[in-house]
Amino acid sequence: MLYKGLQLDRFQEEAIEAIDRDVSVIVTAPTGAGKTVIAEYAVEKCIEENRRVIYTAPIKALSNQKYRDFYAEYGDKIGIVTGDVVINPYAQVLLMTTEIFRNTIFDDIERLQDVSYVIFDEIHYINDIERGTVWEESLIFAPQHIKFVCLSATIPNIDSFTEWMQSVRDINIEIVEELKRPVPLKHYLYFQDYGIGRQNHISLVRRIAQRKARKRKSDSDNEATITLPPDFIETRLIPYLCREKQLPCLYFCFSRKGCEQNANSLAYGSQLQLLKKRQKTQILAQFDALCVQFDIVDEKKISDFRGLISRGIAYHHAGMLPTLKEVVERLFTSGLIQLLFTTETFAVGINMPACTVVFDSLEKYDGIGFRYLKAREYHQMAGRAGRRGIDTIGYVYAQIVPAYADSKEIRGVIADKIEPIESQFNLSYSSILNLYQKYGDDIYDVYTMSLSNHQNYVRVAKLNEQLKTNTQKLQTLPEPECIHEGIDGSTQIEHYYRLDRDHGKNLQRLYAERAQIKSQTRGKKRKKERVKRLNIVQRKIAHFQASREQSLCDECQHLSTCSGRYKAIRKEETRIQKLKERTTRIENSPREQIAARLKVLEELGYVEAQTLLPRGTIAAHIYGYELQLTHLLFSGFFERLTEDEINCLMVAIVSEPRKDGYFKPLKDKRLLEILYTVSNEISSIQYLEVEHEVTEVTPFLELRLCTAMLAWSRGCSFDKLEQYARVDPGDFVRTFRLVIDQLRQIRRAMSGHTALVDKLNRCIGKINRDVVDAERQLRIGQEGLDDAAAADDFDAEDPLSTNSEHTEGSGIENETPLS
């Protein structure tokens, strides 16, 4: 089958046939296999048949990219709604983040009555620990007439997932699975300071590295030399890629600092020439033109970045200005950037493959500590290697430090065995309020529809089978038999061990008292006191040992046999008890969390007798920080505060805590008093959450960006913000946009309060300017955009917002020798 001049693969044809039959379809295929074509066909079909379709993406960057792609082909039939941008929100084809779609279901489900298809790009995000519940809620509660096109990387438990999805959807769902990549990949390891090899070289190179370390330490040449095998390539990685014509390359680093340092190290610390003279002229012309187009010519770091670009090198991470990130993405698409150092978000959805993918490390910092990548994470990023129609093979290199390499962990990462997706169902307060309004006390039945319940049913069945096996084993174990007539062996041996435990505890207490006396009475002056007190304790110990209660088991010749039987029975009983506890926990924990949150809402005055009270009605329309914001609304804070003060308060609510970096403390006494009062309000919420054992407690205020927001709200220029906080430009932009998103949600929730709505509009206007204005960025980046038409639709009723976005790691540095 030909589509848009492309000869389709079997799996693409199967998926398109399913769409033609008007059923839902789940498509799983390796990254880069061509799943996007299926989504494009669904969009085209809906347009031809005058039906509406929604395309959801996990990140805003992907939504923006798809908007541009579809707008170039279909013009004003396309609209976009994200937490940052609203353009043509009632268009026939609407691009949005998954959070927006979920919010629409709860806030205004009637708007979805004429939607025929919803495309879920990257559906495996249902496995995401922070945001996965949004995908799950969307699939459960979307109107039943809607069909879904779900696109995903490989899902090992696809049959089980589809079985669950079919249980909550009325329309048939077909599975289309493709395991083969159109461009096969070759996986290698790059051993730092040694060269390129494979997994079977790990142990050998580790021994060589350890011997070299010992020789350096002892300054001795006595140890025999170990030679590398003939299939090992001794080389530096990047020069090797150049020689072998394996560029362009995506080089994944797991820290922003690592991206920048590696790019600068290679550009200015080596003699590599990645671009020819003509290519250098081309890329600089494009870069300069894009900088003019996006109005970032005078931004800080642009001159330095131009130096990198002239060498065919760049970096890309969330700390950069969004406009500069977009410039980099466009240059990479042109094929002129030969080496792009980037964080893992570049692997999500954005269609920018390369010939080669390199991993700076197979370990990453996850906010708590370092861990090895999961196989899914590795293959998601590795899948960017190999450009269809250009490369016959894609190359993947993972750098490891030989002396510390764990071969078992490395094999697990690189293996084709990808982890199954797991439910992350976890209803927020706003979701619970919306569902409580619809279902009342039957809200607990909602959990039975979740993927979590479906998977737990299987887990419980396995646990029950194991419980049955262990119970049968327990029944076959021989019991202790007492030689004394009329005495139960099990009871007697239990009594013996209880006496032994009590005896041990008492002795332990006396020994601790003795040690304390020695500590308290040190020195010659307190010797008499020490001796006197120690003698008293020692007499207690001797008396206790002499008067120990005796058992019939003491000195019994069968004690060893009875003890062995007793311990075997107790061990099996402990296993059975743990299995029962685990089963109970799996069955009850989700319901208990819903009940706990409902109790908090009830005590805070949000719900009563299966009805939403005024506070609950407002909180149900705010997604993210709903309890804090609703409390502040009803306490009158938004009426009493100025626009600048509201913006300062909002940034304290939405900012995530950070332990490092300079920030200028807030000195405004009125604002500090306000923030102190708000902190007390939040503490009262936290107290109830802890009391009712809610797992995720409402966060405290974070004041780090308050002075920066205050300055920005009062009109300071973007380049002056670094005086108030040492934060990456992209973090300023992202946090300020999140504040705008939340203000829009409050505005929508309080739509009947004209004076407050007007004030909130002024708050938004003070923040949404210059590089923070996401809608402006999208417009100036869209070639041929009809400004007049789109301007008429912008922010029409401000349909819905979301506060979630994919985030990156903490910026932990990893060193990488490159050239």
Side-chain angles (χ1 to χ4, degrees):
M1 176 180 176
L2 280 173
Y3 177 67
K4 293 187 176 181
L6 299 173
Q7 181 63 50
L8 298 185
D9 294 336
R10 175 201 57 81
F11 84 94
Q12 294 167 324
E13 291 181 1
E14 288 181 10
I16 285 173
E17 288 169 4
I19 294 169
D20 285 337
R21 290 195 300 274
D22 234 22
V23 298
S24 293
V25 61
I26 301 176
V27 183
T28 73
T31 304
K35 297 184 290 290
T36 304
V37 170
I38 298 163
E40 291 172 352
Y41 180 85
V43 168
E44 183 180 280
K45 180 178 172 64
C46 287
I47 289 175
E48 288 176 352
E49 296 176 358
N50 200 30
R51 295 192 289 174
R52 290 191 72 205
V53 59
I54 289 175
Y55 193 120
T56 77
I59 60 173
K60 294 168 187 174
L62 184 53
S63 295
N64 293 344
Q65 184 194 51
K66 294 299 181 186
Y67 171 75
R68 293 191 193 96
D69 293 344
F70 285 130
Y71 189 91
E73 190 165 356
Y74 301 113
D76 60 9
K77 293 182 183 292
I78 310 299
I80 182 170
V81 180
T82 68
D84 296 336
V85 178
V86 181
I87 298 176
N88 199 10
Y90 300 99
Q92 189 176 353
V93 180
L94 203 54
L95 284 299
M96 57 174 62
T97 54
T98 315
E99 279 82 3
I100 294 289
F101 179 67
R102 189 275 311 272
N103 298 354
T104 307
I105 293 170
F106 286 149
D107 275 357
D108 191 6
I109 198 168
E110 293 301 317
R111 286 189 55 211
L112 301 174
Q113 289 308 310
D114 60 345
V115 173
S116 177
Y117 265 101
V118 171
I119 299 164
F120 271 161
D121 207 349
E122 311 281 354
I123 186 67
H124 53 268
Y125 253 77
I126 203 168
N127 195 64
D128 186 85
I129 194 166
E130 292 182 353
R131 301 174 60 203
T133 186
V134 176
W135 275 257
E136 201 163 332
E137 291 171 41
S138 299
L139 289 169
I140 294 171
F141 302 117
Q144 286 294 338
H145 71 275
I146 289 178
K147 281 89 62 182
F148 286 93
V149 175
C150 300
L151 308 177
S152 175
T154 305
I155 301 177
N157 54 335
I158 183 63
D159 292 331
S160 174
F161 176 77
T162 307
E163 181 183 313
W164 163 75
M165 189 171 164
Q166 186 65 79
S167 72
V168 296
R169 306 302 305 168
D170 290 344
I171 295 170
N172 287 339
I173 303 168
E174 294 192 13
I175 300 174
V176 174
E177 193 171 15
E178 176 60 62
L179 301 176
K180 185 179 178 183
R181 283 181 53 88
V183 180
L185 299 181
K186 286 189 175 181
H187 299 264
Y188 299 93
L189 296 177
Y190 174 62
F191 296 83
Q192 185 178 315
D193 296 330
Y194 289 90
I196 298 168
R198 293 187 180 268
Q199 292 180 51
N200 60 317
H201 296 136
I202 294 175
S203 298
L204 178 63
V205 181
R206 183 170 56 232
R207 287 204 303 273
I208 294 174
Q210 290 169 347
R211 288 198 176 193
K212 279 190 176 181
R214 286 197 297 267
K215 285 172 71 175
R216 282 195 299 270
K217 193 172 182 180
S218 63
D219 197 24
S220 169
D221 294 324
N222 293 334
E223 294 198 46
T225 303
I226 304 175
T227 58
L228 290 163
D231 59 339
F232 190 93
I233 306 170
E234 296 186 66
T235 182
R236 290 284 185 177
L237 181 57
I238 301 304
Y240 176 81
L241 299 182
C242 295
R243 291 195 304 272
E244 297 297 316
K245 295 183 169 47
Q246 293 180 11
L247 298 176
C249 168
L250 282 176
Y251 198 115
F252 286 108
C253 304
F254 298 115
S255 76
R256 301 173 184 181
K257 187 182 290 186
C259 288
E260 296 189 21
Q261 287 184 339
N262 286 334
N264 284 301
S265 172
L266 187 68
Y268 303 113
S270 73
Q271 302 299 317
L272 286 174
Q273 298 294 325
L274 303 181
L275 295 178
K276 296 176 181 177
K277 188 174 180 180
R278 179 178 54 82
Q279 291 175 315
K280 180 177 178 178
T281 303
Q282 281 182 311
I283 197 170
L284 286 177
Q286 285 189 31
F287 178 75
D288 292 341
L290 287 167
C291 287
V292 170
Q293 181 181 349
F294 284 98
D295 194 23
I296 56 173
V297 175
D298 298 325
E299 292 292 340
K300 191 176 179 181
K301 288 192 173 183
I302 290 297
S303 177
D304 293 340
F305 209 89
R306 193 176 189 273
L308 291 177
I309 291 292
S310 69
R311 291 166 170 80
I313 298 169
Y315 57 83
H316 181 285
H317 60 69
M320 297 164 60
L321 279 175
T323 42
L324 181 55
K325 281 168 59 181
E326 187 165 338
V327 168
V328 173
E329 290 163 12
R330 294 191 178 209
L331 290 174
F332 190 78
T333 304
S334 73
L336 291 171
I337 291 180
Q338 297 300 296
L339 188 57
L340 179 62
F341 294 92
T342 180
T343 48
E344 59 194 298
T345 48
F346 202 82
V348 182
I350 299 175
N351 185 27
M352 295 184 186
C355 177
T356 298
V357 161
V358 174
F359 289 85
D360 183 60
S361 170
L362 289 178
E363 295 179 84
K364 63 180 285 190
Y365 186 77
D366 61 5
I368 300 173
F370 283 94
R371 66 166 176 83
Y372 275 89
L373 296 177
K374 295 179 180 178
R376 177 177 298 283
E377 294 171 320
Y378 172 82
H379 286 284
Q380 176 84 28
M381 288 179 267
R384 292 296 165 197
R387 297 162 295 176
R388 190 167 187 172
I390 301 176
D391 302 317
T392 56
I393 294 174
Y395 300 92
V396 183
Y397 299 88
Q399 178 173 245
I400 64 172
V401 180
Y404 305 105
D406 186 322
S407 57
K408 183 180 178 181
E409 291 280 6
I410 291 169
R411 282 196 299 271
V413 172
I414 298 176
D416 290 332
K417 188 178 180 180
I418 295 172
E419 303 86 0
I421 60 172
E422 298 284 345
S423 171
Q424 305 297 335
F425 193 68
N426 182 26
L427 294 174
S428 64
Y429 285 110
S430 57
S431 293
I432 287 175
L433 287 166
N434 280 288
L435 294 171
Y436 192 69
Q437 186 174 33
K438 183 176 181 180
Y439 297 103
D441 286 341
D442 292 335
I443 187 174
Y444 299 103
D445 295 335
V446 168
Y447 172 69
T448 63
M449 296 188 287
S450 68
L451 175 61
S452 174
N453 183 65
H454 182 81
Q455 292 179 332
N456 284 343
Y457 181 82
V458 176
R459 292 189 186 101
V460 168
K462 289 181 179 178
L463 287 172
N464 284 334
E465 190 63 35
Q466 193 175 344
L467 189 61
K468 182 180 177 182
T469 302
N470 285 53
T471 303
Q472 289 172 346
K473 181 180 177 181
L474 177 63
Q475 292 169 350
T476 64
L477 292 175
E479 294 187 4
E481 296 178 357
C482 188
I483 60 174
H484 299 280
E485 188 176 348
I487 296 178
D488 179 68
S490 296
T491 304
Q492 187 59 39
I493 195 73
E494 171 65 36
H495 177 66
Y496 169 80
Y497 274 105
R498 186 170 63 251
L499 289 176
D500 191 59
R501 286 194 298 272
D502 292 344
H503 181 71
K505 286 179 183 177
N506 285 316
L507 279 177
Q508 190 175 15
R509 177 180 56 79
L510 290 169
Y511 291 151
E513 185 179 346
R514 186 171 63 185
Q516 188 177 22
I517 291 170
K518 289 180 180 179
S519 175
Q520 292 173 346
T521 59
R522 290 175 180 170
K524 292 182 179 179
K525 292 182 179 180
R526 302 188 68 178
K527 183 178 179 181
K528 288 184 179 180
E529 179 190 355
R530 180 168 64 251
V531 171
K532 182 180 179 181
R533 290 174 63 182
L534 285 175
N535 286 338
I536 293 171
V537 174
Q538 195 60 41
R539 283 196 295 270
K540 286 181 181 180
I541 292 172
H543 176 74
F544 182 78
Q545 289 175 329
S547 62
R548 177 182 179 272
E549 184 180 347
Q550 296 297 303
S551 166
L552 292 175
C553 296
D554 286 323
E555 299 181 3
C556 176
Q557 59 183 348
H558 296 290
L559 177 60
S560 177
T561 302
C562 290
S563 292
R565 292 180 176 184
Y566 169 76
K567 290 178 180 179
I569 290 171
R570 285 301 304 270
K571 187 176 182 181
E572 205 59 45
E573 286 176 342
T574 302
R575 285 176 179 168
I576 290 171
Q577 183 60 33
K578 286 183 178 179
L579 285 171
K580 288 179 178 178
E581 290 173 358
R582 189 177 172 194
T583 301
T584 302
R585 188 167 60 251
I586 289 174
E587 289 178 329
N588 297 333
S589 180
R591 289 184 178 85
E592 288 171 356
Q593 278 304 301
I594 294 173
R597 286 185 167 90
L598 271 174
K599 286 176 184 175
V600 170
L601 291 169
E602 185 176 351
E603 293 190 32
L604 289 174
Y606 285 64
V607 298
E608 184 180 72
Q610 301 191 44
T611 304
L612 298 195
L613 299 176
R615 287 174 184 256
T617 302
I618 295 299
H621 290 82
I622 300 174
Y623 298 93
Y625 317 102
E626 55 265 38
L627 291 193
Q628 304 100 301
L629 295 175
T630 304
H631 254 58
L632 298 181
L633 283 166
F634 277 79
S635 298
F637 279 88
F638 284 83
E639 281 82 1
R640 296 196 300 271
L641 303 185
T642 66
E643 288 86 352
D644 295 333
E645 289 169 340
I646 288 174
N647 289 342
C648 184
L649 172 58
M650 290 296 296
V651 84
I653 290 173
V654 307
S655 293
E656 294 182 357
R658 292 181 57 162
K659 296 179 181 178
D660 57 341
Y662 163 82
F663 69 99
K664 189 174 183 179
L666 192 63
K667 295 182 179 179
D668 187 308
K669 290 185 178 179
R670 171 179 156 83
L671 256 177
L672 286 171
E673 188 176 335
I674 290 166
L675 293 170
Y676 177 76
T677 305
V678 172
S679 293
N680 288 336
E681 294 268 353
I682 293 174
S683 294
S684 66
I685 297 172
Q686 292 175 332
Y687 175 81
L688 284 175
E689 290 174 324
V690 171
E691 182 183 356
H692 293 296
E693 298 181 351
V694 173
T695 51
E696 295 177 15
V697 178
T698 299
F700 281 112
L701 297 181
E702 171 55 64
L703 308 186
R704 190 169 290 265
L705 293 182
C706 283
T707 50
M709 172 57 89
L710 205 56
W712 180 253
S713 185
R714 289 171 176 171
C716 91
S717 59
F718 191 81
D719 60 354
K720 294 291 194 298
L721 287 178
E722 64 180 14
Q723 298 175 9
Y724 303 96
R726 203 66 48 82
V727 172
D728 286 339
D731 290 330
F732 277 126
V733 173
R734 186 168 52 259
T735 306
F736 289 179
R737 286 178 177 178
L738 182 54
V739 170
I740 293 169
D741 183 11
Q742 292 299 142
L743 288 169
R744 286 174 173 168
Q745 292 190 53
I746 300 169
R747 182 180 67 183
R748 189 180 63 254
M750 304 296 290
S751 58
H753 301 261
T754 306
L756 180 56
V757 167
D758 289 343
K759 179 183 273 192
L760 292 171
N761 283 332
R762 293 193 295 273
C763 290
I764 293 169
K766 281 175 166 282
I767 307 173
N768 198 32
R769 58 185 176 84
D770 197 23
V771 294
V772 176
D773 188 346
E775 186 264 347
R776 171 179 173 269
Q777 179 187 339
L778 185 59
R779 288 182 182 280
I780 62 178
Q782 177 65 47
E783 295 293 334
L785 183 66
D786 185 346
D787 289 319
D792 291 338
D793 291 315
F794 171 61
D795 222 15
E797 295 185 24
D798 189 22
L800 292 164
S801 299
T802 175
N803 68 304
S804 297
E805 182 59 275
H806 189 90
T807 57
E808 291 191 41
S810 62
I812 296 295
E813 178 182 347
N814 291 320
E815 293 183 0
T816 308
L818 296 168
S819 56

